[in-house]
Amino acid sequence: MMKELTPRTTDYLVSFGECMSTRIFATYLNKIGTKARQYDAFDIGFITTDEFTNAEILEATYPALAKRLHGDWINDPAIPIVTGFLGKGWKSCAVTTLGRGGSDLTATTIGKALGLREIQVWKDVDGVLTCDPNIYSNAKSVPHLTFEEAAELAYFGAQVLHPQSMRPAREGDIPVRVKNSYNPQAPGTLITKARDLSETVLTSIVLKSNITMLDIVSTRMLGQYGFLAKVFSTFEDLGISVDCVATSEVSISLTLDPSKLWSRELIQQASMN
């Protein structure tokens, strides 16, 4: 019908599934006698950048959310059922999506805005595991993690949590508990700002696949200042996130975020710069 599929159109299109599912779930809860109220995130204060398909939540979101959800609860208490991974662009006022981990980020943002005691994230595994259960079937859940550990594990391959989704909880110092929807009795993993690491040898082993590795070799690096700054400014101009970096006297080796698509046009553009 539209005869186009821009990132803005894509975000608007994919928002409908979430809007429909939350309405269905809120209706079901009300039918079984649990009073609930459905909310579209873009209508209750989730204010984001206009970076469609990968928007970032802006600071103005927190007071707006608190005012709306607190106000509604005081006037007419009902369990809020909020759409995940959606927001409203602050300039465009169009529907945006938050990218990978967006639903968890929605939960932690609401948790920080309301100053909750604990945020729970329900997954299909018993919390954060000692390794990938698809590789080793005897993987066990890790009972406690710090936010730093959770971010490192997520960044380097653990699929349970996305590092960005933990940021609001970390800033608000609110514990996050990861539970299993298919095994509610499992204690899961509790993520807090600090924990006792005196007896810990190894927390978890993670694997990151499909990474792009780039070697930059230049004798001009030797004893020169500003060379690394030029290299990283090129990545900044292209919007490419760098994962790991190792340097020697005449070379830089780095891995690039696999979520960013590397096309031939980007590589040619980089080499021209």
Side-chain angles (χ1 to χ4, degrees), residues 16-32 34 36-40 81-83:
F16 280 86
E18 193 76 2
C19 292
M20 290 167 66
S21 65
T22 48
R23 281 164 172 78
I24 292 168
F25 188 55
T27 303
Y28 170 74
L29 288 179
N30 283 312
K31 186 177 180 180
I32 63 171
T34 302
R37 186 181 294 116
Q38 190 274 346
Y39 293 96
D40 291 327
I81 310 297
V82 185
T83 56

Side-chain angles (χ1 to χ4, degrees), residues 206-241:
V206 291
L207 170 70
K208 197 167 192 176
S209 56
N210 299 320
I211 62 168
T212 301
M213 185 169 175
L214 189 64
D215 287 320
I216 302 169
V217 182
S218 174
T219 52
R220 286 186 295 168
M221 276 183 67
L222 203 56
Q224 294 295 312
Y225 59 86
F227 185 84
L228 287 174
K230 290 177 182 175
V231 169
F232 286 106
S233 68
T234 302
F235 289 116
E236 181 183 9
D237 293 341
L238 295 170
I240 300 293
S241 174

Side-chain angles (χ1 to χ4, degrees), residues 1-271:
M1 287 172 65
M2 304 284 296
K3 295 189 170 58
E4 67 162 14
L5 193 59
T6 62
R8 175 172 173 154
T9 311
T10 302
D11 278 2
Y12 183 58
L13 180 67
V14 301
S15 71
F16 280 86
E18 193 76 2
C19 292
M20 290 167 66
S21 65
T22 48
R23 281 164 172 78
I24 292 168
F25 188 55
T27 303
Y28 170 74
L29 288 179
N30 283 312
K31 186 177 180 180
I32 63 171
T34 302
K35 191 171 182 181
R37 186 181 294 116
Q38 190 274 346
Y39 293 96
D40 291 327
F42 44 80
D43 280 340
I44 62 168
F46 271 87
I47 304 161
T48 72
T49 59
D50 288 291
E51 191 181 354
F52 295 103
T53 73
N54 196 28
E56 291 188 16
I57 289 174
L58 299 178
E59 203 62 30
T61 294
Y62 298 106
L65 274 179
K67 182 179 179 182
R68 177 66 185 272
L69 293 176
H70 268 145
D72 284 1
W73 181 267
I74 291 168
N75 293 329
D76 184 19
I79 296 172
I81 310 297
V82 185
T83 56
F85 72 85
L86 302 179
K88 178 189 282 189
W90 74 288
K91 285 183 179 177
S92 66
C93 292
V95 175
T96 58
T97 60
L98 306 177
R100 188 176 157 231
S103 288
D104 294 344
L105 178 56
T106 300
T108 55
T109 300
I110 293 171
K112 180 186 173 185
L114 299 179
L116 302 182
R117 291 193 306 272
E118 179 179 288
I119 297 163
Q120 292 187 357
V121 180
W122 290 75
K123 299 289 182 177
D124 58 358
V125 290
D126 292 341
V128 179
L129 303 179
T130 51
C131 63
D132 186 343
N134 295 318
I135 297 174
Y136 180 63
S137 59
N138 290 330
K140 296 178 174 60
S141 64
V142 180
H144 292 93
L145 283 177
T146 65
F147 284 114
E148 288 85 354
E149 286 177 309
E152 290 284 345
L153 289 171
Y155 204 72
F156 290 105
Q159 299 296 311
V160 177
L161 296 169
H162 191 272
Q164 283 290 85
S165 66
M166 293 297 99
R167 194 181 68 226
R170 183 177 178 178
E171 291 170 352
D173 195 14
I174 301 171
V176 175
R177 194 180 298 274
V178 184
K179 298 273 286 178
N180 188 350
S181 304
Y182 300 101
N183 185 17
Q185 286 75 32
T189 299
L190 184 65
I191 305 170
T192 54
K193 187 168 274 190
R195 72 182 181 103
D196 182 11
L197 294 168
S198 58
E199 310 246 333
T200 303
V201 178
L202 186 67
T203 300
S204 180
I205 300 172
V206 291
L207 170 70
K208 197 167 192 176
S209 56
N210 299 320
I211 62 168
T212 301
M213 185 169 175
L214 189 64
D215 287 320
I216 302 169
V217 182
S218 174
T219 52
R220 286 186 295 168
M221 276 183 67
L222 203 56
Q224 294 295 312
Y225 59 86
F227 185 84
L228 287 174
K230 290 177 182 175
V231 169
F232 286 106
S233 68
T234 302
F235 289 116
E236 181 183 9
D237 293 341
L238 295 170
I240 300 293
S241 174
V242 176
D243 273 357
C244 298
V245 182
T247 64
S248 71
E249 292 296 331
V250 293
S251 71
I252 310 168
S253 296
L254 39 84
T255 60
L256 305 175
D257 190 336
S259 65
K260 298 290 185 181
L261 296 177
W262 264 76
S263 64
R264 191 171 298 278
E265 290 77 16
L266 267 181
I267 295 169
Q268 287 172 348
Q269 186 180 339
S271 61

